[in-house]
Amino acid sequence: MTAILGGGISGLSAAYYCLENSKIGSVALYESSKHLGGWIKSITTPSGVIFEKGPRTIRLGNKAAQNTLMLIEKLNLNSKIIPIKWNHPAYSNRLIYANETLHVLPNNVTNLFKIQEPFNRRLISIAWNEVRVPKEINEDESIYSFTERRLGKDVADFLISPLISGICAGNAKEISVKFLMKNGFEYEQKYGSITKGIVLNLMRHLLSNFKTNSHKEKELTTDLINRAKVEKWFAWGLHGGLEQLPIALKNNLNSNSNIKIYKNTPCEQLTFKPGVAELLTNGKVEKYCKVISSISAKSLAPLLEKQHPQLAQEIKTIPFVTVAVVNLRYSENILPLEAFGLLVPPNENLPILGIVFDSSIFKKDSSTVLTVMMGGVWFDKYFGDNPTNEHFLSTAVNQTKSILNMKKDPVEYDVTVLKDCIPQYVVGHYQKVQRIQNYISAHKIPLALCGSSFDGIGLNDVILSAKKAVSHIA
Ligand SMILES: Cc1cc2nc3c(=O)[nH]c(=O)nc-3n(C[C@H](O)[C@H](O)[C@H](O)COP(=O)(O)OP(=O)(O)OC[C@H]3O[C@@H](n4cnc5c(N)ncnc54)[C@H](O)[C@@H]3O)c2cc1C
């Protein structure tokens, strides 16, 4: 029997993939809270709009994304999908708020030949200059230092820094370059320049299209994946909110007698003996053959501390940040432009990370729904030890008024503080994860890891990590 720790999206997906795998028998899933779905939470307000407390869209573009679409098809969720296509303003319009002005980030090839504020040079010149920047040999470095060195301070300040605070609420000066620019980093190490690497790979790709397809990597194909390709989706959401995904997974699992789900049941300690994994829950020891952990590194480390202090120490050093999420609804359209939202570069020293324009992404009526994200790595700097929900609300409302240059107040709102919700893949993260995996295999511990702490923080990444963890233990 296999135990799964955590009932977030990765734990539920791991349970789903276990039940699909004939090599794995029955499964027990332990969730410490009463809620399944982890950070995915969609609430419907009295007026009927959805406030997302966590994720709201899922990106397309790689194998992990295709894997999620396959899961959606298997769960019969196709009809609930809301595609966001390439010609949607949420795709083309991404804003940053710099120097007290909203700027649309360059969004097509012609923009590369113009000078577009807040940049003070043509973006095409960045690629041209980059070829001549000398190569530095590094095992890892911060994404800020890499971009500043190769592409310039303006790109690091106005593009990469807000992007990193938007994706992981982190500081680009601390986050590993491999988190977002792994290919660019490898191109420098291999070819001496990002631009050269892109051009060479493009040529290789074009040449391979003239040759036989025999060496091409096999693409996943299903009706939904094909539809997404043909219609050029760049992301998607779900009618009723993204929580429909964990709900569908939960319903699917509940219809299978090979799984038991224990809510309000935290795992308190893990001990591994030859052939047995002992799990301490509610003061009782339960025995399993194997364990899949989908809980965060922060929650996992104390469970391993007693038997494997060295492993626990390594896992414990993965940092996390807290984010305050304020959802706002206005009765009319208050947006200057339909867009995905806006990001605030950290050097603007404002107490918000950015604002998502939910009602632009998922247009419903003429009202405006926004989500203001605050805190992250700067939580203590702006909010100290004991901020109140009123303080978050007034900060969100006032910043929204000032940035969008309007005076309206929201007619509905909701404030949530998500404690330690996003892991930070700081410089050295990927080597650390390798050491953790090496320790587990060297000590033959029947434990597989998945979830957002290790191999990617997006929903596609964590669902794929669950699939990999299952095939690993199988
Ligand atoms: C504000 C925010 C916005 C985001 N937006 C997006 C987005 O738009 N698109 C996207 O792709 N991704 C987004 N993400 C990332 C995505 O939501 C997460 O990567 C994903 O939800 C993580 O799922 P998980 O199952 O790995 O972890 P979690 O959701 O953290 O689930 C872990 C579960 O384990 C339980 N647990 C903890 N300790 C124990 C224990 N000892 N015993 C038993 N159970 C335990 C917890 O209660 C929890 O339910 C966002 C994240 C946040 C926080």
Side-chain angles (χ1 to χ4, degrees), residues 189-243:
Q189 301 301 309
K190 204 163 163 191
Y191 308 111
S193 138
I194 311 173
T195 314
K196 266 192 212 164
I198 292 173
V199 172
L200 286 171
N201 272 287
L202 205 64
M203 281 164 56
R204 198 163 296 149
H205 180 73
L206 289 173
L207 275 175
S208 75
N209 278 345
F210 288 115
K211 292 186 186 160
T212 63
N213 283 336
S214 57
H215 297 303
K216 277 195 177 169
E217 221 187 329
K218 218 171 146 230
E219 292 253 322
L220 302 171
T221 49
T222 65
D223 286 349
L224 193 61
I225 294 173
N226 286 339
R227 188 184 146 205
K229 272 187 198 155
V230 170
E231 294 179 2
K232 296 196 174 108
W233 302 0
F234 95 96
W236 52 273
L238 288 174
H239 286 291
L242 222 49
E243 198 175 338

Side-chain angles (χ1 to χ4, degrees), residues 5-11 30-33 35 37-40 53-59 242 265-268 294-296 299 303 323 325 373 418 421-422 450-452 456-460 462:
L5 310 185
I9 191 67
S10 53
Y30 291 87
E31 165 55 45
S32 58
S33 70
H35 165 80
W39 297 119
I40 309 182
K53 308 311 302 179
R56 67 215 59 230
T57 53
I58 302 190
R59 297 292 299 253
L242 222 49
T265 313
C267 171
E268 290 145 15
S294 79
I295 63 181
S296 73
S299 307
L303 312 187
V323 175
V325 175
M373 307 276 185
L418 310 177
C421 61
I422 309 188
C450 62
S452 64
I457 67 163
L459 289 168
N460 292 323
V462 304

Side-chain angles (χ1 to χ4, degrees), residues 79-90:
S79 60
K80 289 215 158 133
I81 280 213
I82 312 174
I84 306 165
K85 300 181 188 170
W86 67 280
N87 55 356
H88 193 289

Side-chain angles (χ1 to χ4, degrees), residues 41-245:
K41 215 172 260 180
S42 319
I43 57 170
T44 305
T45 69
S47 74
V49 305
I50 305 281
F51 279 171
E52 292 285 12
K53 308 311 302 179
R56 67 215 59 230
T57 53
I58 302 190
R59 297 292 299 253
L60 272 149
N62 61 13
K63 274 236 165 117
Q66 295 181 342
N67 178 61
T68 310
L69 287 182
M70 280 172 69
L71 180 64
I72 288 293
E73 264 183 305
K74 287 179 186 168
L75 294 171
N76 291 322
L77 279 175
N78 294 27
S79 60
K80 289 215 158 133
I81 280 213
I82 312 174
I84 306 165
K85 300 181 188 170
W86 67 280
N87 55 356
H88 193 289
Y91 174 69
S92 41
N93 294 337
R94 310 221 156 202
L95 312 175
I96 61 162
Y97 183 69
N99 309 323
E100 297 180 10
T101 314
L102 275 175
H103 304 275
V104 182
L105 286 172
N107 55 14
N108 62 43
V109 180
T110 51
N111 290 148
L112 298 177
F113 297 90
K114 293 184 195 150
I115 294 179
Q116 203 173 330
E117 281 194 20
F119 305 97
N120 52 13
R121 54 196 173 133
R122 286 181 183 83
L123 291 184
I124 193 75
S125 70
I126 294 172
W128 177 246
N129 294 336
E130 194 270 336
V131 179
R132 284 170 290 168
V133 175
K135 165 181 170 177
E136 267 185 27
I137 297 177
N138 277 323
E139 206 180 333
D140 198 358
E141 70 179 300
S142 80
I143 191 162
Y144 186 95
S145 109
F146 177 77
T147 339
E148 185 185 30
R149 199 163 54 68
R150 298 218 60 90
L151 304 170
K153 188 168 165 25
D154 51 350
V155 179
D157 281 334
F158 295 123
L159 196 60
I160 297 301
S161 291
L163 212 56
I164 291 293
S165 67
I167 297 174
C168 69
N171 185 345
K173 292 182 177 168
E174 294 166 4
I175 299 295
S176 164
V177 59
K178 297 176 193 171
F179 175 66
L180 203 64
M181 296 179 79
K182 188 165 179 274
N183 284 347
F185 179 70
E186 285 173 358
Y187 290 160
E188 178 186 37
Q189 301 301 309
K190 204 163 163 191
Y191 308 111
S193 138
I194 311 173
T195 314
K196 266 192 212 164
I198 292 173
V199 172
L200 286 171
N201 272 287
L202 205 64
M203 281 164 56
R204 198 163 296 149
H205 180 73
L206 289 173
L207 275 175
S208 75
N209 278 345
F210 288 115
K211 292 186 186 160
T212 63
N213 283 336
S214 57
H215 297 303
K216 277 195 177 169
E217 221 187 329
K218 218 171 146 230
E219 292 253 322
L220 302 171
T221 49
T222 65
D223 286 349
L224 193 61
I225 294 173
N226 286 339
R227 188 184 146 205
K229 272 187 198 155
V230 170
E231 294 179 2
K232 296 196 174 108
W233 302 0
F234 95 96
W236 52 273
L238 288 174
H239 286 291
L242 222 49
E243 198 175 338
Q244 295 304 316
L245 175 53

